Amino acid sequence: MSYALVFSGQGMQHPGMLPWLADGAPVRAVNERLGVRDWRAALQDADWAARNAHAQVLLTGLALAAWDALAPLLPPPAAVAGYSVGELAAFSAAGVFDAGTALSLAQARAEAMDRCAAGHPGGLIGVSRMAPAAIDALVRDTGLAVAIRNGPDSVVLGGALAALDRAEALATAQGGHCTRLRVGVASHTPTLQPAADAFRQVLEGTAFARPRTALFSNAADRIASVPQARDALAAQIARTVRWDECMDNLHARGVRCVVEVGPGQALAKMWNARYPGVPARACDEFRSAQALAAWVDSHGLS
């Protein structure tokens, strides 16, 4: 029997995240890359924390630092996936490239997206508690794109700021629940195609290996080859994140539990709502790596 490993995306970063993560070499590499002495202190500044150039590097590096601490305590995962920028950590954990390369790619990805956003300002809004048909109508009425699909009644929409305002008003009037995300770019929408093209050029010059673990992508289902890996990482910048399908793919592996690596518990909560018979827990719920490993082991994996 087995477990799945999922890596969180951007937006939930906070100074108290990963409370058990020690200040070892992987964490120091993140501080150095960001030019800060202490990432927790830096996250006290909400504006600093929300910037793509900081958040994407920080989350990629810290997720892999956390996995570096957890991996010796656990058997290998049966399957791996990442949510949005969490794919960089997921691909690294699956053996496609090392942690240093993941950090460099996170920096290049953020820079490409920020250059694109400078000419096309926009953002994202989470919409839930609406029927699929109502969400489809909202997309048609506002001209927004579905950036992330978490479930039939839970999506993230992306586009121009005025359209986001209109969507929030329309959805709220229909009883929907809306959450504006603290990002300044319409990630995972066609607006970001120039960023996807630019990032693809970076990926072409980066050494990749075939995944050594079952790896599932936001944009291309299972990744089994180097060309697929490059295509998927570039495409997802401007294409809908199909997280609902990623969860289905992981569940189909017959996993007995799921571990979320990163800040917050958003992915664990989504999983538990979709598959209540297969428990998921997040790193942020534990006070030590050993406690998390013990929880995984309690499901008969070792």
Side-chain angles (χ1 to χ4, degrees), residues 265-284:
Q265 304 171 35
L267 301 186
K269 288 179 178 178
M270 278 191 274
W271 179 277
N272 287 327
R274 194 175 186 86
Y275 300 112
V278 180
R281 299 285 298 274
C283 282
D284 265 10

Side-chain angles (χ1 to χ4, degrees), residues 1-89:
M1 307 303 282
S2 54
Y3 71 99
L5 187 67
V6 296
F7 289 88
S8 312
Q10 195 172 337
M12 298 297 290
Q13 57 270 23
H14 60 93
M17 65 191 247
L18 300 170
W20 48 266
L21 185 60
D23 187 24
V27 172
R28 290 194 294 273
V30 175
N31 286 334
E32 183 176 334
R33 178 79 60 157
L34 291 170
V36 300
R37 295 186 64 183
D38 179 358
W39 64 270
R40 293 191 192 276
L43 281 178
Q44 298 283 353
D45 182 341
D47 289 334
W48 185 94
R51 292 179 191 171
N52 258 353
H54 301 152
Q56 295 197 25
V57 172
L58 181 80
L59 293 176
T60 300
L62 293 182
L64 289 173
W67 177 236
D68 186 66
L70 281 168
L73 307 176
L74 293 171
V80 183
Y83 188 91
S84 187
V85 71
E87 281 205 329
L88 290 175

